[in-house]
């Protein structure tokens, strides 16, 4: 097999080119090829300097993540970076595309770094539950200082070439677009100026500087801990950077880094985060995309300018697609435009958007009207009117009459039957659910709900829009609540039951936050408005089965007092003077006590572990039912929905991955235990029972062809 690394000569400059599509990941063959090429360069008297570059669309995007979890074969990357750095002749890294992780570490091992304009660099290992393990935590602080290195490494963010130049990470930004030409020109300039190798390990000024700041690492560690919310790797990254400053020498620092890297490699968090990484890519593989072709979308109509309509409008404008927003009357369209303007202004205030760009976006990407006929020429309509079947049906009947043939007609409904909505048109094949999450301009999840007659091209169009708007599209089938809200309904019920049985809502929220969620279910309900759930419960009261336990009386009573959460200053929590974080409310605890007394419930204590055992079991059991019914294609689709739309901690990998890691037999045993208390609610999913019976896990279903 030919090596993915080529060694050629451009006059007296050696060009070492890595060609391992799609992203030049550092597989075993690439590592071996790179080492061989560097050794060839050392012994090639015709070569005075070398350039390391990537072929195709990028430099090197990092280690080959697919090799993680298995023993890594030699040569290892830290050794290769050390060999490059020890070269007696100068080596220049020429960056384009994305130089990430191990890719940037190779570049840091080189003596000089040049980049073409659009190049990006970064050390994103933290997002995979590990740390830069090939000298990234040792060499970066030498170039940019310990504090800036900590920011870069613990955030994992990508940095543009201009910023990388300013920070000291790279030496030159080339105006051209050819990295090899840029690298060769830079190498020639070095030779002409008589400059030789400049090993990064020998640059120590920034290290000495960091030593002067005695409290630096306490500060960095406290900050990393706070932001990590239970994730290990950001904090361990700081330990590794600390070794760059305090280890007795560079090699000792490298050893410490490697040990910490290997320790993190063994953690369940690493496994979970890599599952999430590949999961976000796997969800884009759906049966309809095999034949479906995206339709051209150059203009979008959004109906409704409320919370969702304005958020969706912003999401589309951010993707550079012009939007016409339609509302019921002048006041409503003024309010809709106001929401869009306010959010854009927020971007200006935070320095994310220039005032000129805001003006340009409003002038070129936004128009508002009360006339539905304005939708005659749009390629895609996204309806976000009230969650009421009558209103939705009326809107879709009108759309059928107004929109041009081939226009995609999407609804943002949270729960309603999209087949019924599609049936209002003579073109049900063009109708689809595009379920955005609030705030729609920020949340990454887009559930793409495929109805019975939806055409594959329409599915492909929705996935294409997700991609253009930098969202993660996940395919769902039609049912009450699709994937996410249907599962949410179950664990919210568990939360209510836990309170009725003895936990306080504050204990439930604390347990959920302790598990790694940004917010507990009751703080979340206060934010969304308690009235939404109250209305739904009232609507469903008539059809509620008699076996079903009702455990929301305490919440109903809070609502009866006009306490709907943040917007009324009081809900499950009290919000003094518009505060976003609520305080515990003794009156709520009194209401709960009263309800328990009236219902004859003896309150008992629940530990945080017991709370989470039930909360997660409900999520997993319903997830299994969603799979069984084909509403979600694979377990990983549910994981991605929960991580990108519902705040599930990414480092736990999603509820289905969490179940696999805990052991499905243990999860089933928990459900059986709860089933003894409430057989109706806790009926185990047949799929779960079958998987346990066969000794298989959810992940076995991820590998199946869809
Ligand atoms: N290893 C293996 N496969 C990788 C990979 C990697 N590092 N990076 C990307 N891929 C695969 C993807 O899974 C995808 O495969 P598919 O087509 O079969 O689904 C394909 O390459 C293309 O990737 P994307 O769809 O993500 O392409 P984009 O153009 O949207 O993004 C990217 C490109 C920015 C490079 C993005 O893929 C990315 O962020 N990759 C991960 C980068 C990373 O985390 N690097 C650090 C690795 S850990 C490390 O280096 C350890 C070291 O410190 C020792
Ligand atoms: P909202 O009440 O904030 O906005 C609805 C808007 O639709 C109002 O501004 C109203 O004037 C307008 N409207 C009603 N009938 C109309 C018509 N015939 N023509 C034009 N405009 C009309 O409601 P929200 O929260 O934005 O929800 C909209 C839809 O999005 C609902 O289906 C909801 O279930 C769904 N959704 C809501 C989420 C949320 O978090 N609020 C999340 C995801 C989906």
């Amino acid at each position: 097999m030919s090596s993915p690394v080529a060694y050629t000569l451009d006059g007296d400059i050696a060009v070492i080119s890595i060609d391992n599509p799609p992203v030049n990941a550092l597989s075993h063959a690439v590592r071996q090829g790179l080492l061989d090429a560097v050794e060839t360069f050392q012994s090639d008297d015709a070569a005075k300097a070398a350039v390391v570059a990537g072929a195709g669309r990028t430099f090197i995007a990092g280690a080959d993540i697919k090799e993680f979890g298995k023993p890594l074969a030699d040569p290892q990357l830290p050794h290769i970076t050390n060999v490059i750095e020890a070269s007696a002749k100068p080596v220049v890294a020429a960056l384009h595309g994305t130089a990430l992780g191990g890719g940037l570490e190779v570049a840091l091992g080189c003596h000089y770094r040049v980049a073409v304009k659009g190049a990006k660099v970064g050390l994103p290992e933290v997002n995979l539950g590990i740390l830069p393990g090939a000298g990234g935590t040792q060499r970066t602080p030498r170039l940019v200082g310990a504090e800036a290195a900590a920011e870069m490494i613990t955030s994992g963010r990508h940095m543009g070439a201009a910023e990388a130049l300013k920070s000291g990470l790279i030496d030159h930004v080339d105006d051209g677009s050819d990295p090899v030409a840029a690298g060769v020109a830079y190498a020639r300039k070095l030779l002409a100026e008589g400059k030789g190798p400049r090993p990064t390990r020998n640059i120590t000024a920034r290290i000495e500087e960091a030593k002067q700041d005695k409290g630096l690492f306490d500060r960095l560690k406290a900050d990393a801990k706070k932001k990590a919310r239970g994730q290990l790797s950001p904090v361990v990254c700081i330990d590794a950077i600390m070794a760059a400053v305090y280890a007795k020498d560079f090699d000792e620092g490298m050893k410490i880094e490697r040990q910490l890297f290997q320790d993190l490699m063994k953690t369940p968090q690493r496994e979970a985060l890599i599952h999430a990484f590949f999961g976000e890519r796997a969800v884009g593989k759906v049966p309809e995309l095999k034949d479906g072709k995206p339709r051209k979308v150059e203009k979008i109509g959004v109906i409704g300018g409320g919370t969702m309509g304005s958020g969706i409008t912003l999401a589309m404008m951010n993707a550079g697609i012009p939007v016409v927003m339609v509302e019921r009357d002048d006041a409503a369209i003024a309010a809709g435009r106001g929401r869009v303007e306010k959010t854009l202004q927020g971007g200006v205030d935070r320095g994310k958007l220039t005032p000129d760009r805001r003006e340009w976006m409003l002038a070129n990407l936004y128009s508002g009207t009360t006339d539905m006929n304005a939708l005659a020429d749009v390629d895609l309509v996204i309806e976000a009117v009230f969650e009421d079947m009558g209103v939705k049906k009326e809107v879709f009947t009108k759309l059928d009459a107004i929109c041009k043939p081939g226009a995609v007609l999407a609804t943002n409904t949270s729960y309603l039957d999209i087949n019924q909505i599609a049936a209002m048109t003579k073109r049900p094949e063009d109708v689809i659910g595009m379920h955005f999450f609030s705030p729609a301009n920020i949340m990454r999840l887009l559930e793409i709900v495929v109805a019975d007659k939806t055409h594959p091209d329409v599915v492909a169009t929705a996935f294409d829009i997700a991609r253009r708007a930098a969202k993660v599209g996940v395919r769902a089938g039609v049912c009450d609540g699709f994937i996410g809200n249907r599962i949410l309904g179950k664990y919210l019920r568990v939360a209510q039951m836990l309170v009725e049985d003895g936990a306080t809502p504050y204990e439930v929220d604390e347990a959920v936050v302790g598990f790694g969620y940004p917010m507990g279910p009751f703080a979340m309900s206060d934010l969304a408005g308690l009235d939404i759930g109250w209305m739904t419960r009232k609507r469903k009261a008539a059809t509620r089965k008699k076996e079903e336990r009702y455990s929301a009386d305490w919440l109903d009573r809070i609502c009866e007092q006009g306490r709907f959460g943040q917007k009324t200053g009081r809900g499950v929590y009290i919000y003094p003077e518009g505060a976003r974080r609520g305080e515990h409310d003794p009156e709520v605890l009194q209401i709960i006590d009263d309800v328990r007394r009236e219902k004859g419930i003896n309150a008992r204590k629940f530990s945080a572990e017991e709370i989470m055992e039930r909360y997660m079991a409900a999520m997993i059991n319903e997830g299994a039912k969603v799979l069984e019914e084909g509403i979600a294609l694979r377990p990983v689709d549910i994981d991605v929905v929960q991580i990108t739309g519902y705040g599930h901690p990414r480092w736990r990998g999603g509820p289905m991955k969490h179940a696999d890691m805990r052991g499905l037999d243990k999860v089933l045993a928990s459900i059986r235990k709860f089933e003894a208390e409430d057989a109706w609610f806790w009926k185990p999913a047949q799929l779960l029972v079958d998987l346990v019976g066969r000794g298989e896990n959810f992940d076995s279903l991820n590998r199946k062809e869809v």
Side-chain angles (χ1 to χ4, degrees), residues 493-532:
R493 293 265 296 287
V494 165
Q496 292 162 10
M497 288 181 204
L498 280 161
V499 171
E500 207 176 59
D501 288 340
T504 71
Y506 314 120
E507 284 166 351
V508 173
D509 276 0
E510 265 164 38
V512 171
V513 170
F515 186 81
Y517 278 82
M519 221 183 230
F522 296 116
M524 189 69 216
S525 302
D526 267 2
L527 179 65
L530 294 183
D531 47 326
I532 299 175

Coordinates of all heavy atoms in Angstrom, one line a residue, residues 493-532:
R493 N -43.2 14.0 34.2 CA -44.1 13.3 35.1 C -43.4 12.7 36.3 O -43.9 12.7 37.4 CB -44.9 12.3 34.3 CG -45.8 12.8 33.2 CD -47.2 13.0 33.7 NE -47.7 11.7 34.0 CZ -48.1 10.8 33.1 NH1 -48.0 11.1 31.8 NH2 -48.6 9.6 33.5
V494 N -42.3 12.1 36.0 CA -41.5 11.5 37.1 C -41.1 12.6 38.1 O -41.2 12.4 39.3 CB -40.2 10.8 36.6 CG1 -39.3 10.5 37.7 CG2 -40.6 9.5 35.9
A495 N -40.7 13.7 37.6 CA -40.3 14.8 38.5 C -41.5 15.2 39.4 O -41.4 15.4 40.6 CB -39.8 16.0 37.7
Q496 N -42.7 15.3 38.8 CA -43.9 15.6 39.6 C -44.2 14.6 40.6 O -44.6 14.9 41.7 CB -45.1 15.8 38.6 CG -45.0 17.0 37.7 CD -46.0 16.8 36.5 OE1 -46.8 16.0 36.5 NE2 -45.8 17.7 35.5
M497 N -44.1 13.3 40.2 CA -44.4 12.2 41.2 C -43.4 12.2 42.3 O -43.8 12.0 43.5 CB -44.2 10.8 40.5 CG -45.3 10.5 39.5 SD -44.9 8.9 38.8 CE -45.7 8.9 37.3
L498 N -42.1 12.5 42.0 CA -41.1 12.5 43.1 C -41.5 13.5 44.1 O -41.3 13.3 45.3 CB -39.7 12.8 42.5 CG -39.0 11.7 41.8 CD1 -37.9 12.2 40.9 CD2 -38.4 10.8 42.9
V499 N -42.0 14.7 43.7 CA -42.4 15.8 44.6 C -43.6 15.3 45.4 O -43.6 15.4 46.6 CB -42.7 17.1 43.8 CG1 -43.3 18.1 44.8 CG2 -41.4 17.6 43.2
E500 N -44.6 14.7 44.7 CA -45.7 14.3 45.5 C -45.3 13.2 46.5 O -45.9 13.2 47.6 CB -46.8 13.7 44.5 CG -48.2 13.8 45.1 CD -49.2 13.4 44.1 OE1 -49.2 12.2 43.7 OE2 -50.1 14.1 43.7
D501 N -44.4 12.4 46.2 CA -44.0 11.3 47.1 C -43.0 11.8 48.2 O -42.7 11.0 49.1 CB -43.4 10.2 46.3 CG -44.4 9.4 45.5 OD1 -45.6 9.5 45.8 OD2 -44.0 8.8 44.5
G502 N -42.5 13.0 48.2 CA -41.7 13.4 49.3 C -40.5 14.3 49.0 O -40.0 15.0 49.9
A503 N -40.0 14.3 47.7 CA -38.9 15.2 47.4 C -39.4 16.7 47.3 O -40.6 16.9 47.0 CB -38.2 14.8 46.1
T504 N -38.6 17.6 47.5 CA -39.0 19.0 47.2 C -38.6 19.2 45.7 O -37.7 18.6 45.2 CB -38.3 20.1 48.1 OG1 -36.9 20.1 47.6 CG2 -38.4 19.8 49.5
P505 N -39.4 20.2 45.1 CA -39.0 20.5 43.7 C -37.5 20.9 43.6 O -36.8 20.7 42.6 CB -40.0 21.6 43.3 CG -40.7 22.0 44.5 CD -40.5 20.9 45.5
Y506 N -37.1 21.6 44.7 CA -35.7 22.1 44.7 C -34.7 21.0 44.7 O -33.6 21.0 44.1 CB -35.5 23.1 45.8 CG -36.7 24.1 45.9 CD1 -37.5 24.2 47.0 CD2 -37.1 24.8 44.7 CE1 -38.6 25.0 47.0 CE2 -38.2 25.7 44.8 CZ -38.9 25.7 45.9 OH -40.0 26.6 45.9
E507 N -35.0 19.9 45.5 CA -34.1 18.7 45.5 C -34.1 18.1 44.2 O -33.0 17.6 43.7 CB -34.6 17.7 46.6 CG -34.3 18.2 48.0 CD -35.1 17.4 49.1 OE1 -36.0 16.6 48.7 OE2 -34.8 17.5 50.3
V508 N -35.2 18.0 43.5 CA -35.2 17.4 42.2 C -34.4 18.2 41.2 O -33.5 17.7 40.6 CB -36.7 17.3 41.6 CG1 -36.7 16.8 40.2 CG2 -37.5 16.4 42.5
D509 N -34.5 19.5 41.2 CA -33.7 20.4 40.3 C -32.2 20.2 40.7 O -31.4 20.1 39.8 CB -34.2 21.8 40.5 CG -35.4 22.1 39.6 OD1 -35.8 21.2 38.9 OD2 -35.8 23.3 39.6
E510 N -31.9 20.2 42.0 CA -30.5 20.1 42.4 C -29.9 18.8 41.9 O -28.8 18.7 41.4 CB -30.4 20.2 43.9 CG -30.1 21.6 44.4 CD -30.3 21.7 45.9 OE1 -30.1 20.7 46.6 OE2 -30.9 22.8 46.3
A511 N -30.7 17.7 42.0 CA -30.2 16.4 41.6 C -29.9 16.4 40.0 O -28.9 15.9 39.6 CB -31.2 15.3 41.9
V512 N -30.8 17.0 39.3 CA -30.7 17.1 37.8 C -29.5 17.9 37.4 O -28.7 17.6 36.6 CB -32.0 17.5 37.2 CG1 -31.9 17.8 35.7 CG2 -33.1 16.5 37.5
V513 N -29.3 19.1 38.1 CA -28.2 19.9 37.8 C -26.9 19.2 38.2 O -25.9 19.3 37.5 CB -28.4 21.3 38.6 CG1 -27.1 22.1 38.5 CG2 -29.5 22.1 37.9
G514 N -27.0 18.5 39.4 CA -25.8 17.8 39.8 C -25.4 16.7 38.8 O -24.2 16.4 38.7
F515 N -26.3 16.2 38.1 CA -26.1 15.2 37.1 C -25.4 15.8 35.8 O -24.7 15.1 35.1 CB -27.4 14.6 36.6 CG -27.3 13.4 35.7 CD1 -27.0 12.1 36.2 CD2 -27.5 13.6 34.3 CE1 -27.0 11.0 35.3 CE2 -27.5 12.5 33.5 CZ -27.2 11.2 34.0
G516 N -25.5 17.1 35.7 CA -24.8 17.8 34.6 C -25.7 18.6 33.7 O -25.3 19.3 32.8
Y517 N -27.0 18.6 34.0 CA -28.0 19.5 33.2 C -27.8 20.9 33.6 O -27.5 21.2 34.7 CB -29.4 19.1 33.4 CG -29.9 17.9 32.6 CD1 -29.7 16.6 33.0 CD2 -30.6 18.1 31.4 CE1 -30.1 15.5 32.3 CE2 -31.1 17.0 30.7 CZ -30.8 15.7 31.1 OH -31.3 14.7 30.4
P518 N -27.9 21.9 32.6 CA -27.8 23.3 33.0 C -28.9 23.7 34.0 O -28.8 24.7 34.7 CB -27.9 24.0 31.7 CG -28.5 23.1 30.7 CD -28.2 21.7 31.2
M519 N -30.0 23.1 33.9 CA -31.2 23.5 34.7 C -32.1 22.3 35.1 O -32.1 21.3 34.3 CB -32.0 24.4 33.7 CG -32.6 25.6 34.3 SD -33.6 26.4 33.0 CE -33.0 28.0 33.1
G520 N -32.8 22.4 36.2 CA -33.7 21.3 36.6 C -35.0 21.5 35.9 O -35.3 22.5 35.3
P521 N -35.9 20.5 36.0 CA -37.2 20.5 35.2 C -38.1 21.6 35.7 O -38.9 22.2 35.0 CB -37.8 19.1 35.5 CG -37.1 18.6 36.7 CD -35.7 19.2 36.7
F522 N -38.0 21.9 37.0 CA -38.9 22.9 37.6 C -38.5 24.4 37.2 O -39.3 25.2 36.9 CB -39.2 22.7 39.1 CG -39.9 21.4 39.3 CD1 -39.3 20.4 40.0 CD2 -41.1 21.2 38.7 CE1 -39.9 19.1 40.1 CE2 -41.8 19.9 38.9 CZ -41.2 18.9 39.6
A523 N -37.2 24.6 37.3 CA -36.7 25.9 36.9 C -37.0 26.1 35.4 O -37.3 27.2 35.0 CB -35.2 26.0 37.2
M524 N -36.8 25.0 34.7 CA -37.1 25.1 33.2 C -38.6 25.4 33.0 O -39.0 26.2 32.1 CB -36.8 23.7 32.6 CG -36.8 23.6 31.2 SD -35.5 24.5 30.5 CE -36.2 25.1 29.1
S525 N -39.5 24.7 33.7 CA -40.9 25.0 33.6 C -41.3 26.4 33.9 O -42.1 27.0 33.3 CB -41.8 24.0 34.5 OG -41.4 22.7 34.2
D526 N -40.6 26.9 35.0 CA -40.8 28.3 35.4 C -40.4 29.3 34.2 O -41.0 30.3 34.0 CB -40.0 28.7 36.6 CG -40.8 28.5 37.9 OD1 -41.9 28.0 37.8 OD2 -40.2 28.8 39.0
L527 N -39.4 28.9 33.5 CA -38.9 29.7 32.4 C -39.8 29.7 31.2 O -40.2 30.7 30.6 CB -37.5 29.2 32.0 CG -36.8 29.9 30.8 CD1 -36.5 31.4 31.2 CD2 -35.5 29.2 30.5
A528 N -40.3 28.4 30.9 CA -41.2 28.3 29.7 C -42.6 28.8 30.1 O -43.3 29.2 29.1 CB -41.3 26.8 29.3
G529 N -43.0 28.8 31.3 CA -44.3 29.3 31.7 C -45.1 28.1 32.2 O -45.4 27.1 31.4
L530 N -45.5 28.1 33.5 CA -46.2 26.9 34.0 C -47.6 26.8 33.4 O -48.2 25.7 33.4 CB -46.4 27.1 35.6 CG -45.1 27.0 36.4 CD1 -45.5 27.1 37.9 CD2 -44.3 25.8 36.2
D531 N -48.1 27.8 32.9 CA -49.5 27.8 32.3 C -49.6 26.9 31.1 O -50.6 26.3 30.8 CB -49.9 29.2 31.9 CG -48.9 30.0 31.1 OD1 -47.7 29.8 31.4 OD2 -49.3 30.8 30.2
I532 N -48.4 26.7 30.4 CA -48.5 25.8 29.2 C -48.8 24.4 29.6 O -49.8 23.8 29.1 CB -47.1 25.8 28.4 CG1 -46.8 27.3 28.0 CG2 -47.1 24.9 27.2 CD1 -45.4 27.4 27.3

